[in-house]
Amino acid sequence: MVSAAELEAALTALRNGQLVGFPTETVYGLGADATNEQAVRKIFAAKGRPADHPVIVHLPLGAPLEAWASQVPEAARLLAAHFWPGPLTMILPRARHVLDVVTGGQASVGLRVPDHPVAQALLQAFAQHQPSGLAAPSANRFGRISPTQAEHVRAELGAAVAVVLDGGPARVGLESTIVDLTGSRPTLLRPGHITAAQLADVLGQPLDAPQRSSPRASGTLPSHYAPATPAQLVPTAELAATVAELSQGQRIAVLARQAAPRSLAAVDWIVAPDDAAAYAHELYALLRQLDALGCDRIVVEAVPDDPAWQAVQDRLSRAAYRTAAAHE
Ligand code: TXA
Ligand code: MG
């Protein structure tokens, strides 16, 4: 997957304050030494991301949370024991030394222990002193589709990344579930592969619903994860009729969970899996593929209104938001 020489090149780049693209089980990350302010600033420049948005600190398995968080509530220990390494990010009160550029100037810090052998090898090798971790958002330009393959990172960010480690296609395909543990009750900030029900099970209490979008949390802005082509969600029952009508005057690309009817055989029509996890795994690569067709519009068949589809539904509605807003 990744040779010792490639790993060494990535470590050298990180120690020199440069950026490294690395695989995680969710999406590829754009990593920098979380204790080096200049290095973390390069992430924002490379992504074109507003400077006050916080970035998640990625840690090797077994790293002491106290090195980053001023308080580690019992809920955090429970969730860490249960879900790490894995696609869960916890928001905790920051330790004093954590850089403002990492927290977006907030009183909290996001921590995550990713479950990918290459990410863990990199984090373990990088952790020769404490505190040590990699600040890493998804390795895409701000507001665009997250990368699930190494080649997506190179295509998006080019020379801004010193090294890209290729760990193959991301297993999960959607960004981590984010739970905020800084308040009196645990709150789900971003749905993901680990569901609210699974978290509630381990915590023994329900989670508060996602709050109204905080302007500091880019993954929670209404328009995000968006292809350049306007995208629109259409209920299953209206799909064929809507595509037939729209394709009168425009070139339409479709992402559906069913095959195209014969009357629409001429339309660019991609069939996605009908299983939520399999759909999530392929979604971003398929959106990139649809975007690359250069059509006038992307029509996406709405997904089932079911907890298993919550994370997919969340990303699709953000991908389609600009189009929906324009029609209001
Ligand atoms: O799966 C993932 O989480 C991927 C991989 C690379 O680990 N990372 C990722 O990072 O999605 P990013 O930057 O695209 O999304 C990070 C989001 C922020 O936009 C914000 O919503 C939340 O995490 N976040 C991070 N630190 C926070 C903090 N201190 N308080 C509130 N939200 C925070
Ligand atoms: Mg992102």
Side-chain angles (χ1 to χ4, degrees):
M1 224 182 222
V2 167
S3 68
E6 287 169 314
L7 197 62
E8 200 51 49
L11 285 168
T12 303
L14 290 170
R15 293 194 178 114
N16 289 334
Q18 294 178 299
L19 304 182
V20 168
F22 66 98
T24 83
E25 78 281 32
T26 58
V27 299
Y28 275 70
L30 179 64
D33 178 349
T35 64
N36 178 338
E37 182 174 349
Q38 292 313 315
V40 178
R41 286 198 188 289
K42 288 183 186 164
I43 293 176
F44 292 83
K47 280 183 66 95
R49 186 184 201 181
D52 62 349
H53 285 223
V55 286
I56 297 169
V57 178
H58 294 67
L59 303 174
L61 186 60
L65 299 187
E66 293 77 7
W68 295 92
S70 62
Q71 289 163 47
V72 182
E74 187 53 26
R77 301 209 187 276
L78 276 171
L79 294 180
H82 213 88
F83 294 109
W84 280 353
L88 177 70
T89 296
M90 293 198 261
I91 309 298
L92 296 174
R94 72 191 277 187
R96 288 246 306 273
H97 71 84
V98 184
L99 297 170
D100 279 342
V101 67
V102 168
T103 67
Q106 303 183 83
S108 59
V109 62
L111 301 176
R112 157 160 145 76
V113 174
D115 182 19
H116 190 292
V118 173
Q120 279 300 324
L122 183 68
L123 288 162
Q124 297 285 354
F126 188 63
Q128 287 178 338
H129 55 87
Q130 283 302 337
S132 144
L134 294 182
S138 50
N140 51 281
R141 308 263 320 154
F142 179 64
R144 303 300 306 282
I145 304 166
S146 296
T148 54
Q149 298 172 25
E151 68 202 54
H152 298 163
V153 180
R154 294 192 195 98
E156 287 263 325
L157 299 170
V161 199
V163 178
V164 179
L165 297 175
D166 188 347
R171 173 170 61 81
V172 172
L174 297 182
E175 303 78 0
S176 60
T177 305
I178 304 182
V179 60
D180 184 353
L181 297 173
T182 61
S184 54
R185 293 162 56 90
T187 302
L188 185 72
L189 294 186
R190 181 170 73 184
H193 183 74
I194 295 173
T195 64
Q198 284 176 288
L199 296 173
D201 243 22
V202 170
L203 292 175
Q205 65 169 311
L207 269 72
D208 276 2
Q211 313 231 308
R212 301 231 71 194
S213 53
S214 148
R216 290 248 176 92
S218 53
T220 63
L221 290 176
S223 170
H224 209 71
Y225 315 108
T229 314
Q232 158 179 1
L233 286 172
V234 174
T236 300
E238 294 161 28
L239 184 66
T242 304
V243 173
E245 191 189 320
L246 287 173
S247 51
Q248 296 297 323
Q250 313 172 77
R251 253 190 85 204
I252 304 298
V254 179
L255 181 63
R257 289 170 293 114
Q258 52 181 300
R262 203 170 297 160
S263 59
L264 295 174
V267 173
D268 285 301
W269 187 294
I270 294 183
V271 179
D274 204 13
D275 165 81
Y279 190 108
H281 173 74
E282 303 205 2
L283 175 60
Y284 288 150
L286 292 179
L287 284 177
R288 275 170 196 275
Q289 204 178 313
L290 288 159
D291 214 9
L293 293 171
C295 288
D296 299 305
R297 180 172 293 268
I298 297 171
V299 171
V300 181
E301 179 183 1
V303 295
D305 185 14
D306 178 287
W309 288 86
Q310 190 191 3
V312 167
Q313 167 59 36
D314 172 76
R315 305 311 190 275
L316 284 178
S317 57
R318 293 177 202 284
Y321 177 80
R322 273 183 314 199
T323 320
H327 282 250
E328 269 166 9

